[in-house]
Amino acid sequence: MVLAMSSALALATQASLVAAQRPMPGYSPGAADTQRRLEQEAIQGPQATRARTHSAALSQEPHIAGTPAQKRTADYVIAQMKAMGLQTEMRSYDVYLPHATGVKITRMGRDTVSLDVQEPGIPGDPVTMMPQYLPVNGYGAAGVGEGELVFVNFGLIEDYATLDSTGVSVKGKVVLARYGRSFRGIKSREAEKRGAVALLIYTDPLDDGFVQGDVYPEGPMRPLAGLQRGSVFNGTGDPLTPGYASTPGAPRLKPEDTAVPKVPVVPISALNAQQLLAQVRGTDIPRSWQGGMPIRYHVGPGPVRVRVEVTTDEATAGTKTIYNTLGYLRGSTYPNEYVYIGAHRDSWGAGAADNISGTVSVLEAAQSLADLAKRGERPKRTIVFATWDAEEWGLVGSTEYVEDDSLRLKAGAVAYLNQDVSAQGMQFGGGGSPSMRAVLRDVTKLVQDPRGRGTVYDTWRVGTGTRADSLEPPMGDPGGGSDFAGFYNHFGIPIADWGFGGPSGIYHSAYDTFAWMERFGDPGFQYHAAAARIGAATLLRLANAQVLPYDYAEFARTMTRYVAPVERGLTQKGWSPAAVAPLSAAITRLERVATTFAAARDAALAAGVAPAAQAAANQSLLRVERSLARPTGLKSRPWYRSLIYASDVDNGYSTMSFPGVNESIRYGTEAETVAEINDLATRFGAAADAVAAAQAALSTPTKR
Ligand SMILES: [Zn+2]
């Protein structure tokens, strides 16, 4: 998965007035000088040529989670990290992961046609000629569904409302939906809820096919016969062990008692979709439902009948072993505080972009910092370089890991940096917790854009049309959908992520290959290296800080912007908007406390502050965002504990801020909503208390 971070509103934070000699938050002036030198060295480490070699090796064959090929990528990463001199660990879990063994789609009737569902190989791109994972959605059910076809546009809740208004039901029907606007798991959930017997999801050429540009191999966009695989599971982690790790002997649910779909869900190409849709008649479509194929779309039902048959290995091999890899660079001063960087290593095909690019970024950042350590520059905190398995099935590897290592993470994880599709173009994008944005922005000012047009920060501003000096480029919010979820949404550990994007229509297809990457995505592998440079410097910034450089003033200012929509939501329901007052007050207090803290921190560091006081302050700072995660989670999804961001439960791709409050406005009563607002206000109070405690620790008189 990748479309995790929905684009946020443009952030109107104040830009630093002086970029060149700005202070380095969390560092004394003397320590900042040393750190600047170290970061410059770390930035020099990643190499495009080595990145290219890693990419070629790791994307030489399709490597779906649970296959021997995917185990080989784990072995490769472990061998590389051992050679760097890192301490390594392979962490495996046995999880529910049924693989498709057969898929057949038949257009029934006088001219019965069995569709050719495979993506054709492309001469000149050898990986596309290899056997691919069958075109079946991950966790779609085995079985047979047959019925008249109904076209449901994107398959959103509002699309079904439109169908209802015209009297069209999908009960007992085979549903054809188009990709986009929502996570495919939601499309599957909504179709099944309404009684569909099977779901086909196709990619319309309007979205990332010939309507957008030349198609592969002539261009980077999706060929008509290309299709998008992907999971349709709406949970996170092994479906059989919700909330705890899939360790040997752990109790397992029965698959039929989980939220995995009960009907077959199959991705098809636009070519196949056209073969089916061309003969559908019945109700005329709403104007906006017409896509980019050269036929008039109709809703149906029928007269086309379709039969969908899927078989899996569930009965004989439904459980498979997945492999996370961990590489450790032990901290010299605070070995029990951890800065993580991670990328999922599994794919739906060869996955050069999604996500060998992220894996390579982690490898190159590791190489750079391991080399620094060999020269005697060991980080103060422990750095963990992770690659995760089975992300594509529902963040399975990273989720089992965070559940397994929960005590260590809750006590000592400083931050998690995520790399998911870190290089498939030239346009930088970044996001994460608002507490981490200042650090990420600052590091992008240190790394040159490979095009030679200034720093990554400069081209980021240009690419996002950020002109006014008072504005910063917009950054994404962590709603879920990639491996940061276990850290952020589950535990409230600050996260950041970034990558370079561009025109691409190979998402989750057989055409996400090394050849595509060399031709279109990142021909010189310079952007792979640039992503790794940002990773290396950000890791060092966090690992060596005297006082952890979270920016809770920017965090609080960002939170302030989410209050007015809550007020509007209350008003629209006819409820009292005055209920937000405690929340507003708590956020305002956090901003005030955090602003005072930042000044006190800088003064203390300039004057000198004892290591014990720094350590005590850091312990308090670790509590701030964890205070905003509720142990019982959201009412809709207990695993999602962060009350700051979650994926929209009815969309999956868009992010909801204050999800406890906003879900209550949408689905709950006024009393429940007021309780949610007050709970959130109390937690913001605890967060502010933690910042105040950090300040108190720094101002405790100590011998220097
Ligand atoms: Zn991905």
Side-chain angles (χ1 to χ4, degrees), residues 1-3 344 346-348 353-355 391-392 418-421 481-483 507-508:
M1 273 189 259
V2 60
L3 302 165
H344 76 84
D346 69 310
S347 298
W348 287 112
D354 188 8
N355 184 32
E391 185 269 357
E392 294 294 1
N418 195 52
Q419 288 287 275
D420 194 352
V421 191
S482 190
D483 294 305
Y507 176 61
H508 288 185

Side-chain angles (χ1 to χ4, degrees), residues 626-647:
R626 286 160 171 82
S627 311
L628 297 163
R630 180 165 65 193
T632 54
L634 298 178
K635 284 182 187 151
S636 62
R637 294 159 287 176
W639 189 86
Y640 277 75
R641 296 180 183 173
S642 167
L643 298 179
I644 303 305
Y645 298 112
S647 56

Side-chain angles (χ1 to χ4, degrees), residues 58-120:
L58 287 164
S59 63
Q60 62 183 290
E61 58 184 339
H63 50 102
I64 315 307
T67 63
Q70 172 61 353
K71 172 65 165 44
R72 286 192 278 278
T73 66
D75 293 338
Y76 180 91
V77 168
I78 290 280
Q80 292 295 325
M81 288 196 180
K82 274 207 170 93
M84 294 172 198
L86 299 182
Q87 192 187 328
T88 62
E89 183 187 358
M90 182 92 86
R91 194 79 77 91
S92 66
Y93 301 96
D94 293 334
V95 302
Y96 179 63
L97 209 68
H99 281 180
T101 52
V103 56
K104 198 170 171 203
I105 300 171
T106 314
R107 193 180 69 198
M108 313 294 287
R110 279 184 323 236
D111 56 342
T112 294
V113 176
S114 182
L115 302 188
D116 180 4
V117 298
Q118 299 285 356
E119 296 177 284

Side-chain angles (χ1 to χ4, degrees), residues 302-645:
V304 177
R305 284 183 71 82
V306 178
R307 181 178 168 88
V308 182
E309 301 171 74
V310 174
T311 54
T312 71
D313 62 6
E314 173 169 5
T316 53
T319 295
K320 295 182 178 63
T321 306
I322 60 168
Y323 301 90
N324 296 329
T325 72
L326 300 161
Y328 298 94
L329 198 50
R330 287 279 161 208
S332 59
T333 314
Y334 304 112
N336 297 325
E337 291 181 14
Y338 303 89
V339 187
Y340 281 80
I341 188 168
H344 76 84
R345 216 182 54 250
D346 69 310
S347 298
W348 287 112
D354 188 8
N355 184 32
I356 293 309
S357 67
T359 304
V360 170
S361 174
V362 170
L363 276 172
E364 281 299 300
Q367 181 82 60
S368 171
L369 298 188
D371 288 348
L372 264 184
K374 277 187 210 149
R375 299 201 293 271
E377 303 288 1
R378 185 163 281 277
K380 289 202 175 94
R381 297 184 176 83
T382 297
I383 298 178
V384 186
F385 302 93
T387 71
W388 314 115
D389 206 346
E391 185 269 357
E392 294 294 1
W393 292 73
L395 323 182
V396 179
S398 61
T399 298
E400 297 312 312
Y401 172 76
V402 300
E403 291 171 351
D404 200 7
D405 260 4
S406 61
L407 296 178
R408 178 161 102 181
L409 289 166
K410 281 188 209 168
V414 164
Y416 172 73
L417 311 178
N418 195 52
Q419 288 287 275
D420 194 352
V421 191
S422 52
Q424 63 165 8
M426 298 190 292
Q427 180 54 48
F428 182 80
S433 168
S435 64
M436 297 277 289
R437 292 176 185 177
V439 168
L440 182 56
R441 278 195 301 264
D442 201 56
V443 168
T444 61
K445 294 171 185 171
L446 305 176
V447 175
Q448 295 303 307
D449 187 290
R451 280 169 288 182
R453 294 183 197 161
T455 65
V456 169
Y457 180 76
D458 296 332
T459 54
W460 183 16
R461 289 186 66 95
V462 172
T464 52
T466 307
R467 288 194 186 83
D469 286 347
S470 60
L471 294 177
E472 293 289 3
M475 295 173 86
D477 304 321
S482 190
D483 294 305
F484 58 78
F487 294 84
Y488 191 82
N489 306 95
H490 193 48
F491 284 140
I493 295 162
I495 71 111
D497 77 350
W498 64 90
F500 294 91
S504 162
I506 45 82
Y507 176 61
H508 288 185
S509 80
Y511 308 124
D512 180 359
T513 61
F514 183 77
W516 181 92
M517 184 62 79
E518 267 210 310
R519 217 171 299 177
F520 303 108
D522 184 15
F525 288 82
Q526 295 285 352
Y527 287 89
H528 282 68
R533 295 179 206 283
I534 293 166
T538 308
L539 287 166
L540 268 194
R541 179 73 61 91
L542 295 160
N544 289 340
Q546 293 163 290
V547 178
L548 295 169
Y550 308 125
D551 188 338
Y552 285 112
E554 176 166 356
F555 184 90
R557 283 196 298 275
T558 309
M559 298 301 114
T560 303
R561 303 202 334 261
Y562 305 144
V563 174
V566 170
E567 252 183 305
R568 277 200 300 277
L570 293 169
T571 306
Q572 277 163 13
K573 282 274 184 168
W575 302 342
S576 168
V580 301
L583 181 58
S584 290
I587 295 170
T588 303
R589 176 170 165 247
L590 175 61
E591 183 179 354
R592 196 174 61 238
V593 170
T595 306
T596 312
F597 165 75
R601 173 199 63 200
D602 296 348
L605 285 169
V609 54
Q614 295 173 21
N618 289 332
Q619 284 303 304
S620 294
L621 289 172
L622 287 184
R623 295 208 316 267
V624 179
E625 263 171 285
R626 286 160 171 82
S627 311
L628 297 163
R630 180 165 65 193
T632 54
L634 298 178
K635 284 182 187 151
S636 62
R637 294 159 287 176
W639 189 86
Y640 277 75
R641 296 180 183 173
S642 167
L643 298 179
I644 303 305
Y645 298 112

Side-chain angles (χ1 to χ4, degrees), residues 609 613 695-703:
V609 54
Q695 186 175 337
L698 288 181
S699 57
T700 305
T702 44
K703 310 196 287 289

